[in-house]
Amino acid sequence: AMTYNLEGDYHEPLVVQLYDVTNPKVFLALPEPDPVWRDLQLDWQKTQLGPGYTSIIDSAWTDLGVLTTGTSFRVQADGYNGKN
């Protein structure tokens, strides 16, 4: 799990993009005193691989919202879906 520790003044919503993995899941836990992992919904989209690439790939997106100090998120997947 990755935990957000406030450093600097970035307080904007964060979005996670996942690609090239099979059956991904993203979980979010708010800070203590009662952290409970909750499963976030993924939105599947066809997107360009990246700047300068013409390949179109399936990618999963989820909105983490604005993180506060102590918020953790975890990404799980069954494996990679790469062909190379």
Side-chain angles (χ1 to χ4, degrees):
M2 297 178 68
T3 301
Y4 176 76
N5 292 312
L6 181 63
E7 292 182 19
D9 59 358
Y10 185 78
H11 295 286
E12 300 294 326
L14 294 176
V15 175
V16 171
Q17 177 191 14
L18 304 171
Y19 63 92
D20 217 14
V21 293
T22 55
N23 300 320
K25 292 183 180 181
V26 178
F27 302 90
L28 184 71
L30 300 177
E32 299 284 344
D34 189 21
V36 174
W37 288 101
R38 63 184 176 107
D39 193 353
L40 299 178
Q41 181 176 340
L42 296 177
D43 176 27
W44 287 91
Q45 301 176 19
K46 292 200 176 290
T47 57
Q48 188 175 353
L49 181 59
Y53 293 91
T54 58
S55 301
I56 301 297
I57 59 169
D58 292 315
S59 61
W61 297 73
T62 192
D63 184 355
L64 295 178
V66 177
L67 301 183
T68 57
T69 300
T71 300
S72 299
F73 71 94
R74 181 176 73 218
V75 176
Q76 289 179 199
D78 289 342
Y80 293 97
N81 198 23
K83 296 178 182 172
N84 297 334

